[in-house]
Amino acid sequence: MASSSSYSNPPCAACKFLRRKCVAGCMFAPYFPPEEPTKFVNVHKIFGASNVSKLLNEILPHQREDAVNSLAYEAEARLKDPVYGCVGAISVLQRQVLQLQKELDATNADLMRYTNNDYGRRVGYDPTSGYPVQYCYGGDSEAAGRDGTN
Amino acid sequence: MTIKSGTGQACAACKYQRRRCTPECLLAPFFPADQPKMFQNVHRLFGVKNIQNLLKELGPDQAQKAMAMKSIKFHAMMRDKYPVFGCLTEIHQLNWQIHDAQEELQATIQQLAYYRQHHQNHQDMSDDYISELQLGMAPPGATNRPLFNADFNIHFLENNNNNNSLCQPTFSNSNDNENNHNSIVMQPPPHLMIPPHTLKPETGHDFNDMQPFFDSIDDTHSYIGSKDLPESSLESSLKDSRTHLVEEMDENELKGAATCFSLISIN
């Protein structure tokens, strides 16, 4: 008896899970190899095979692999965290961004202080007294005391 | 004709499915009638049955259900906006923002360290200079001009000339690990990484606002010849003095250089 074509084309993970014949033009076959059964199981559990099929039909063929991988990632995240899913990761990253921005603002404020106020004390001579003086950039040039303070 | 729910109107879910909206409708609290698009997105991505299963798995806690539905709606909205990558678009944008912000923070910290070091060095140098002058000062009212430490002045002038290079900071690798950020960046698998140029920054904070400020910091600011210095007569006279001093030094006439400055002791 002639053997089925399953020897040359093993069913994809989707068809294997759904217990159906994996035909030559199976839409899921390129993206759900039989070596990764959990990938399709997760996606099917969260989104459903028919929804995934409709989604893939609406995007260009060269983008489908990325779409399937992103769906698989989101499905896995939702299974791990049924309440927040991958939105939890977004929330954590947004907090991190805010924290970094605060630190950046504080550091830039310190930098501004150095560049505007305290930076650039120079010693010169008072022409009348001949005493050494210190000059500050951005402010009035005033004679400093012996210890250099204004 | 649909039977109205407790709110007086069929929820968006039942309206879409054209069925009765009973008071026991699971989805009615989360999909008001005035937001049909919201339900369409969720229905398209998850399907009604999957949403109901998810809600059942969460148990009776209404707060948890509400939070879950919020995240599901967000998820569906992102998938509608970005059909290929969905929520991963936002995750990647945030990752790149974090990466850029960390780099900028590191550079700013290095620059700050440079300025602090430079300020400290200059403070020490000027203090040393004052103390040197104090040692060589004559009593007030003295007619004799004090001895001028020409060697020190040359050294000072040379240092001033070298300041031009010092004022252009080089961002060497800092070993300062105080501000290393061992931040937890949640990275999707490598095969899901999206190149930054393909991302459309539609949400999140834009760190490009910091760039103009960063560029405005003048790294070439030097003590001598700076345009920011007040152009007083004292400044110009000092510049003239130094210029004259350099000429004298070039001709190896130390005694002539000493006469350029008239020093009076300070008390």
Side-chain angles (χ1 to χ4, degrees), chain A residues 91-108:
Chain A
S91 170
V92 167
L93 291 173
Q94 281 178 343
R95 273 201 297 271
Q96 210 168 349
V97 165
L98 285 173
Q99 179 63 30
L100 278 171
Q101 192 166 17
K102 278 183 191 171
E103 287 183 37
L104 201 55
D105 289 343
T107 311
N108 278 321

Side-chain angles (χ1 to χ4, degrees), chain B residues 145-246:
Chain B
R145 291 186 178 181
L147 290 174
F148 175 67
N149 189 348
D151 289 334
F152 180 84
N153 206 31
I154 296 170
H155 177 67
F156 178 75
L157 190 61
E158 286 174 355
N159 280 341
N160 275 336
N161 287 334
N162 290 334
N163 274 343
N164 290 328
S165 60
L166 284 176
C167 287
Q168 293 179 9
T170 55
F171 294 101
S172 57
N173 290 329
S174 171
N175 291 326
D176 182 14
N177 291 325
E178 289 178 11
N179 294 311
N180 275 350
H181 295 279
N182 294 323
S183 55
I184 301 172
V185 177
M186 301 183 66
Q187 293 281 355
H191 65 279
L192 288 178
M193 294 299 283
I194 308 174
H197 65 273
T198 61
L199 294 174
K200 294 177 186 178
E202 297 200 22
T203 58
H205 300 281
D206 188 6
F207 281 91
N208 290 331
D209 290 336
M210 299 303 298
Q211 195 59 36
F213 168 79
F214 202 71
D215 290 340
S216 67
I217 296 174
D218 185 7
D219 291 340
T220 61
H221 190 91
S222 62
Y223 290 118
I224 299 176
S226 170
K227 295 177 185 175
D228 291 333
L229 292 176
E231 289 293 327
S232 62
S233 58
L234 176 61
E235 294 290 318
S236 54
S237 66
L238 283 170
K239 283 181 189 176
D240 291 339
S241 303
R242 288 203 176 99
T243 305
H244 187 58
L245 182 63
V246 170

